[in-house]
Structures are given as structure tokens and as C-alpha cells.
Amino acid sequence: MKILEAKFVQGFIRMCNDGWEQGWHERNGGNLSYRIKPEEIEKIKDSLAADGEWKPIGTSVPAIAGEYFMVTGSGKYFRNVILDPEENICIIELDKEGENYRICWGLSNGGRPTSELPSHLMNHEVKKAASGGTHRVIYHAHTTNVIALTFVLPLKDEVFTRELWEMATECPVVFPSGIGVVDWMVPGGRDIAIATSELMKQYDVAVWAHHGMFCSGEDFDLTFGLMHTVEKSAEILVKMLSMRPDKLQTITPQNFRDLAVDFHVELPEKFLYEK
Ligand code: 13P
Ligand code: ZN
């Protein structure tokens, strides 16, 4: 099968374009990765090169060693992915130790996978274990409203989760485990990857202060939908705070507890504090 005909490749390309259309990917901002299923690799195996040079990942991910990933290229623009996928995205294989990667397809005019590869792969490693193998997508976007909130809300998991849950009734159902927050850190390296993947042990969403967001999910729809829901909630909060600093009414802790019963979700009590 030709790579561009594979369903997961078409889903990956569509998601890049959807993110671009939302305005989350100025210039080369943001990156996307997908942990490819063995049966999907089997179908495209003939189109993959196996003689690429091994390069260090920059961190160690033994629990996903030997697996294949589709990832966006470093410095590549999301808006160009749909026009020329082969030049802007790639498939990489990890070595048996989970220390090195090699390019098997794509980045046809040269280049390397996203500079956030350590964060993507460490998040994949953590979410694979936490989800029993069902999570396959890690998505980083420069979501305007969430970034704006990192200048005015305390950088605490409890505060971001509670404030964003309050802005739309669907939120606690879409991200019941909550949102983690990483203080400002230098992007692109192992330290921010460790901090983010630590939060991903309990959350599907991590905010990077003054930078953006990481989301994890089972497929492209769920992961894009998660990013979209959190960012829309942030937009409502920004609008609300622009009208007046306080709320006349809101969803109360008891309302959340009632919702949890009917929607069969567990909402940790640490987010339902009295204000
Ligand atoms: P890349 O172009 O290397 O993917 O970097 C973009 C980005 O958003 C860094 O955080
Ligand atoms: Zn970024």
C-alpha cells in the first residue's frame, strides 16, 4: 500500500490541517505524533526505508522501544502538511533500546523530527502504560486562550482544572481527570519532557505556561476534540473575565458531583474545593 493511501496517514494530515484552521499553528508552532499500530506498519512495510542513520532521541523510552511513529518535522509549517505531506512529516522507527530513532519515510527535502520529540515520546511511553496501550496520539498546539490564561491564573493544576470545568458543562465529562500545569521551562529538551510526562501519568492534558498545551488520546478525533474543548473553555473564560472579574452565577461543586453520578465519571475531590 502507498503510504499516503493509509487511513492513519490521512487522519494525521487532516488533523494537522484542522489545527492550522483553528489558528493554533502560527509559523512552525506545534507538533503532532502518532504511535503506529503493528498491522498498519505491515501494510506499508514495502515503502519504508531500513537504512536510515540512527540518531539519538535525547532521552530514553524503553517501554516503546522498536515502535514506529508518524511525526511532524521540526521547523515545518502545519499549513503546508496537506499540500506536501512527504516533505513536512515523517515516519520514524525507534531502536531496540529506545535511545535512538531513524527516519523510514518522509522529510523528503531533509530535516529532522520535531524538536519536541523527547516530550512526545516520553508522553507516549507514559500514556501507553496508563491506558493499557489504547492511547496513540500526542498533540502539541499553541492555543491562544489557554496561553493567555497562564498570565493571569495561578499556575496550579487545581485552579486550571476547576476554572475550565466551570466554563462549559461538557468539560468535566471530556476531561474528568483534570489538567496539569508546567511552569515556564525551556522547550525542546529532556527536562520539560520529564516534567510533562510526570503530569501525563494522571492527566490527558498538560498546559505549558506562556507556550501552549499537550493533549493525549486514543485517536485523532478524541485528541483533537480534547484540545478543542479545553481551548474553547479557555476562550469562554477569557471573554467572561473581559466582561467583569467575578461571576454572578456558576456551576457549583455540588452541581459537579451530581453531574458525575449521571454521566458516570469520577471527578477528584481536590478540584471541588470551596472558593
Ligand atoms: P518544531 O518546529 O521543532 O516542531 O517546534 C515547534 C514548537 O512548537 C516547539 O515547542
Ligand atoms: Zn511549541
Side-chain angles (χ1 to χ4, degrees):
M1 180 188 262
K2 287 205 183 107
I3 305 250
L4 293 179
E5 286 168 6
K7 202 161 175 245
F8 80 87
V9 180
Q10 291 175 359
F12 187 102
I13 294 167
R14 178 177 171 219
M15 181 149 160
C16 289
N17 204 58
D18 286 348
W20 156 249
E21 288 183 347
Q22 288 297 325
W24 302 337
H25 300 287
E26 76 290 344
R27 206 170 179 278
N28 63 309
N31 23 76
L32 176 63
S33 65
Y34 173 71
R35 189 165 60 83
I36 308 173
K37 297 176 183 166
E39 62 268 29
E40 291 169 329
I41 283 295
E42 209 45 54
K43 285 190 197 151
I44 56 168
K45 196 111 205 187
D46 292 347
S47 310
L48 298 179
D51 57 354
E53 188 192 337
W54 291 106
K55 304 219 168 107
I57 294 167
T59 189
S60 178
V61 284
I64 50 172
E67 295 207 54
Y68 289 80
F69 294 82
M70 174 156 266
V71 294
T72 47
S74 185
K76 303 298 184 185
Y77 292 26
F78 267 48
R79 65 189 283 263
N80 290 335
V81 169
I82 200 167
L83 299 177
D84 194 344
E86 196 159 354
E87 194 180 311
N88 293 289
I89 64 180
C90 62
I91 292 175
I92 59 168
E93 177 190 6
L94 306 191
D95 70 3
K96 295 287 168 270
E97 285 73 43
E99 304 269 352
N100 301 285
Y101 73 87
R102 66 180 173 190
I103 295 172
C104 308
W105 174 86
L107 292 175
S108 54
N109 280 336
R112 59 187 177 91
T114 172
S115 58
E116 305 294 359
L117 193 63
S119 280
H120 278 261
L121 295 180
M122 289 191 83
N123 287 338
H124 275 294
E125 188 178 44
V126 160
K127 296 311 289 187
K128 184 186 174 188
S131 71
T134 59
H135 274 223
R136 294 194 169 273
V137 182
I138 299 289
Y139 182 29
H140 169 56
H142 292 179
T143 42
T144 317
N145 293 284
V146 164
I147 296 169
L149 289 175
T150 65
F151 294 92
V152 299
L153 290 185
L155 298 175
K156 297 214 171 333
D157 305 1
E158 287 77 6
V159 175
F160 268 77
T161 301
R162 176 65 176 280
E163 293 306 316
L164 293 176
W165 276 2
E166 278 187 45
M167 288 301 110
T169 299
E170 67 173 324
C171 285
V173 180
V174 176
F175 47 99
S177 54
I179 296 176
V181 183
V182 180
D183 284 351
W184 188 88
M185 289 179 79
V186 176
R190 187 161 177 268
D191 291 348
I192 199 167
I194 291 170
T196 311
S197 59
E198 196 53 44
L199 292 173
M200 284 291 188
K201 287 179 183 164
Q202 49 175 321
Y203 306 120
D204 292 338
V205 184
V207 169
W208 280 5
H210 323 323
H211 184 146
M213 236 195 302
F214 265 83
C215 287
S216 172
E218 297 186 1
D219 59 28
F220 297 119
D221 276 352
L222 285 166
T223 315
F224 186 84
L226 178 58
M227 184 75 76
H228 204 183
T229 304
V230 176
E231 170 59 6
K232 174 148 186 188
S233 189
E235 182 181 349
I236 298 168
L237 185 53
V238 168
K239 285 193 158 85
M240 191 225 94
L241 291 170
S242 314
M243 287 186 277
R244 52 184 289 166
D246 59 342
K247 301 164 191 158
L248 276 188
Q249 54 275 322
T250 188
I251 306 171
T252 67
Q254 192 52 47
N255 291 155
F256 285 122
R257 292 187 190 103
D258 294 343
L259 188 81
V261 174
D262 278 21
F263 282 81
H264 310 293
V265 287
E266 260 183 58
L267 301 179
E269 277 292 320
K270 69 171 174 173
F271 301 127
L272 302 179
Y273 51 86
E274 289 303 325
K275 290 192 208 169

